[in-house]
Amino acid sequence: QVMGGYQELIRISGKVLVKSFNGEMNVPGTVISYRPGVSKKVEVVIDDDDNKEVQTIHIDTLVPKPEIEIDRTILLNVAFSVLPSLLSVITTKELDPTSTNWSFYELKTRVLQSIASFVGFSDMANTFLTPRCVD
């Protein structure tokens, strides 16, 4: 994930985590076939499978895994310093949301996307939204 909201996409040769496979959770795999917009099925090879058999898996059970991982401690430090400012932008009463000020809506949308980017790491969402972070 790149700061600013870019999420890794599911793509051929991309790494994924299979949420649940043969009773195991978050099993690493590699996408070998995917036709976005045509099918919700993705062909994946499970990385730890010695036979390297192709598995057809529904896209909803896959989580794209970034090629370059961001160190969680760096992300936490950034979140604790940035999230309060982002939250203040979307909760401010100074801007009139009833006007046709498209800049307001554009700004609010981008801020919400940035917040979603931070809390998109479900294992870190509770940490990001603790009172210490948003006070």
Side-chain angles (χ1 to χ4, degrees):
Q1 165 151 346
V2 176
M3 298 258 248
Y6 174 77
Q7 296 284 345
E8 181 72 36
L9 301 174
I10 293 178
R11 58 181 172 73
I12 294 175
S13 80
K15 296 293 184 181
V16 292
L17 292 176
V18 183
K19 292 179 187 175
S20 178
F21 183 77
N22 289 342
E24 295 183 46
M25 303 296 284
N26 296 324
V27 178
T30 304
V31 175
I32 62 163
S33 177
Y34 174 49
R35 296 176 59 199
V38 176
S39 175
K40 293 193 180 267
K41 299 288 184 178
V42 180
E43 290 185 344
V44 175
V45 171
I46 304 301
D47 292 346
D48 297 335
D49 182 10
D50 293 334
N51 297 326
K52 302 295 183 199
E53 293 180 23
V54 175
Q55 306 293 329
T56 302
I57 301 173
H58 195 277
I59 193 165
D60 291 342
T61 62
L62 299 176
V63 177
K65 186 176 178 199
E67 301 268 337
I68 300 172
E69 299 269 349
I70 295 176
D71 184 338
R72 299 277 196 205
T73 56
I74 293 171
L75 194 56
L76 271 174
N77 290 334
V78 169
F80 285 127
S81 62
V82 171
L83 275 178
S85 298
L86 292 175
L87 290 170
S88 71
V89 169
I90 62 170
T91 58
T92 185
K93 303 288 188 225
E94 294 178 23
L95 296 172
D96 179 15
T98 60
S99 72
T100 56
N101 183 351
W102 293 109
S103 298
F104 168 79
Y105 294 109
E106 180 71 20
L107 175 65
K108 189 171 182 178
T109 300
R110 289 182 184 265
V111 168
L112 288 171
Q113 288 172 337
S114 295
I115 292 171
S117 167
F118 279 120
V119 299
F121 297 103
S122 59
D123 60 327
M124 298 176 78
N126 289 335
T127 305
F128 287 155
L129 297 176
T130 60
R132 181 183 91 142
C133 179
V134 295
D135 281 348

